[in-house]
Every structure is written in structure tokens, then in C-alpha cells.
Amino acid sequence: MVSNKKRLYVALYPSGVTNNEERSEVPGVRYHVKNSPFTGWVYEEVPLANVRSTVNLLVRVLIAKVEDEKRLVEIFRNISVVQNDPEWRCRTWLANALDAIKVDGKAVGTSELDWSKIEKVAREYVATKVASGRYERGVDLKLPKPTWDMLAEKEIVP
């Protein structure tokens, strides 16, 4: 039986990491922080028509099944955005969000929320794609991107 639960992904981009939530046709929202030279670090919620094919996305990593989307979004919105700390990055925000999701215990069900494990798997997955030439050829940048399922520990063929 196929589940209709939304999924939470960590998405790796060349300039950093953001996270995406998706459905089957894959409209979704990118929840992330970015560093603007004019305003500093800002939190964003960006609706996307198709989270599987944003142009500069390298890979997605499935990390959780969403149980309560409203609760999850509130967690994201309440994670501190730090200014003027040269050590603070989008990865810091994401690690803090994952910790808050874990403490909450109700926003997601089956999950892998350990940032150190997620980051290691995600970086290794990107490295395998780089080694295979995934980003060198004239691949259509609008095609679905490589996806790793941390819950099943296998690649999901887009």
C-alpha cells in the first residue's frame, strides 16, 4: 500500500544545504536560510512547482515522513537565525531544526534526524554522482535529481 504522507528531504545545492518537503507530483516548499549581502541571514519559505527539478539542485536525501505539516513549519519558523557569527551557516540552522524536530517528537514519524549522519550520507552521495559524471554532461537540468532514501538506505530512481 502506497502512503500519501508528505516527506521531508534535505536538498544539497552547490552553495549549501536546504530542506524540501514534497508530495507525489512534487510541488513543495523550500524551507531554508540564506545569507544576503544586504540583509544578512534570512529565513525563507519558497513555494516550488516541482522540488525534484530545481535547476541547481545536486541531490535530495529523504529523511522523514511528515506527520503534522503545520507543526513542522512552525518548528522551522521558530529556529533562530544568527547574525554576525562567522561560524554560523545554513547547515547550523538545519542541524538546529533537526534537533528541534527530534525534541518535538510529533511533527514527523519514521525519520533519521541526526545531522552528522545525514551530512555524511549526503556528501558521499554527491561524491558518487560527481565521480560518475552526473554534473559534467549536458544533462537536462530540469530532470528529476538523484535521490537517496535514508529510511530505506537505498537510491530512489527519479
Side-chain angles (χ1 to χ4, degrees):
M1 180 178 202
V2 176
S3 172
N4 289 328
K5 286 185 181 175
K6 293 183 178 183
R7 305 291 192 253
L8 182 65
Y9 293 81
V10 169
L12 272 70
Y13 291 84
S15 62
V17 180
T18 63
N19 50 340
N20 290 332
E21 172 220 326
E22 84 163 59
R23 293 186 294 234
S24 62
E25 207 318 278
V26 206
V29 179
R30 178 186 304 144
Y31 302 97
H32 73 124
V33 293
K34 71 177 189 177
N35 195 5
S36 164
F38 304 109
T39 59
W41 287 100
V42 293
Y43 168 76
E44 288 188 335
E45 294 178 14
V46 181
L48 300 171
N50 187 351
V51 298
R52 293 189 320 164
S53 65
T54 55
V55 174
N56 60 347
L57 173 64
L58 296 173
V59 301
R60 300 177 315 141
V61 179
L62 171 61
I63 64 166
K65 294 180 182 178
V66 177
E67 294 290 330
D68 187 333
E69 182 180 7
K70 288 180 183 178
R71 190 177 194 101
L72 182 61
V73 172
E74 279 306 307
I75 291 169
F76 291 146
R77 289 176 178 164
N78 287 303
I79 301 302
S80 296
V81 177
V82 177
Q83 306 295 333
N84 301 319
D85 178 351
E87 300 300 316
W88 199 87
R89 304 271 188 272
C90 56
R91 292 182 302 274
T92 311
W93 179 86
L94 180 54
N96 293 342
L98 294 172
D99 286 344
I101 293 166
K102 193 181 312 181
V103 168
D104 171 78
K106 296 178 184 175
V108 301
T110 305
S111 61
E112 174 54 69
L113 300 173
D114 182 326
W115 172 239
S116 62
K117 289 180 185 176
I118 295 167
E119 184 177 33
K120 181 179 186 296
V121 166
R123 288 183 183 275
E124 288 172 357
Y125 188 51
V126 168
T128 64
K129 296 302 174 186
V130 168
S132 72
R134 172 68 166 88
Y135 309 110
E136 293 174 5
R137 297 186 296 261
V139 176
D140 184 347
L141 296 176
K142 293 182 181 177
L143 289 175
K145 301 304 190 281
T147 304
W148 185 262
D149 182 337
M150 284 197 71
L151 307 180
E153 297 183 1
K154 66 179 185 176
E155 186 170 41
I156 300 170
V157 179

